[in-house]
């Protein structure tokens, strides 16, 4: 039940951010897949780069970024704390597509 709640929240926040003007660049960039089959130094380093600037949680499904920083990311909940830039400068990175989430979490 908790996974279902997280999935629904994730998809709702994605839709709200896109509607507000955050660009979805998931069709323009190819991101490395989430690695659930191993825990090695490379995977841990990659996860460290996906820590939300505000709450420090790993942005596992998706993250918001801004053109003003090459390294700062934010979870969908805290994207408004990341910087003071216009929403038009912000974009969404998606590691797990909606179809995959719906197929995995009923």
């Amino acid at each position: 039940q908790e996974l279902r709640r997280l999935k629904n929240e994730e998809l709702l926040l994605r839709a709200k951010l896109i509607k507000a003007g955050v660009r979805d660049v998931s069709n323009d960039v190819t991101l490395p897949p989430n690695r659930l089959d191993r825990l090695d130094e490379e995977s841990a380093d990659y996860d460290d780069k996906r820590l939300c600037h505000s709450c420090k949680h790993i942005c596992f499904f998706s993250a918001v970024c801004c053109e003003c920083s090459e390294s700062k990311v934010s979870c969908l909940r805290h994207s408004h704390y990341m910087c003071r830039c216009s929403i038009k400068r912000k974009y969404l990175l998606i590691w797990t597509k909606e179809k995959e989430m719906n197929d995995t979490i009923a």
Side-chain angles (χ1 to χ4, degrees), residues 11-22:
L11 297 177
L12 178 71
L13 288 172
R14 282 183 192 179
K16 281 184 175 182
L17 288 166
I18 290 168
K19 186 176 181 181
V22 174

Side-chain angles (χ1 to χ4, degrees), residues 76-99:
L76 306 188
R77 283 186 186 166
H78 298 115
S79 61
H80 55 287
Y81 295 125
M82 186 170 47
C83 63
R84 294 178 183 235
C85 294
S86 161
I87 198 144
K88 295 182 185 320
R89 298 192 71 196
K90 298 190 172 140
Y91 55 95
L92 190 63
L93 295 177
I94 297 175
W95 286 272
T96 307
K97 305 261 189 213
E98 182 173 353
K99 181 181 180 346

Side-chain angles (χ1 to χ4, degrees), residues 58-70:
I58 295 172
C59 298
F60 188 79
F61 297 124
S62 59
V64 176
C65 304
C66 184
E67 295 171 3
C68 73
S69 173
E70 291 184 13

Side-chain angles (χ1 to χ4, degrees), residues 5-61:
R5 187 193 67 74
L6 287 172
K7 176 193 80 162
N8 291 337
E9 179 185 41
E10 172 79 17
L11 297 177
L12 178 71
L13 288 172
R14 282 183 192 179
K16 281 184 175 182
L17 288 166
I18 290 168
K19 186 176 181 181
V22 174
R23 291 174 285 137
D24 177 2
V25 297
S26 57
N27 292 325
D28 302 327
V29 296
T30 303
L31 298 172
N34 286 317
R35 296 300 309 249
L36 301 175
D37 58 337
R38 64 179 174 169
L39 290 172
D40 57 10
E41 193 170 329
E42 182 182 345
S43 298
D45 287 344
Y46 188 61
D47 284 348
D48 286 345
K49 294 174 185 171
R50 299 193 292 174
L51 291 178
C52 172
H53 176 72
S54 181
C55 68
K56 307 302 182 208
H57 282 111
I58 295 172
C59 298
F60 188 79
F61 297 124

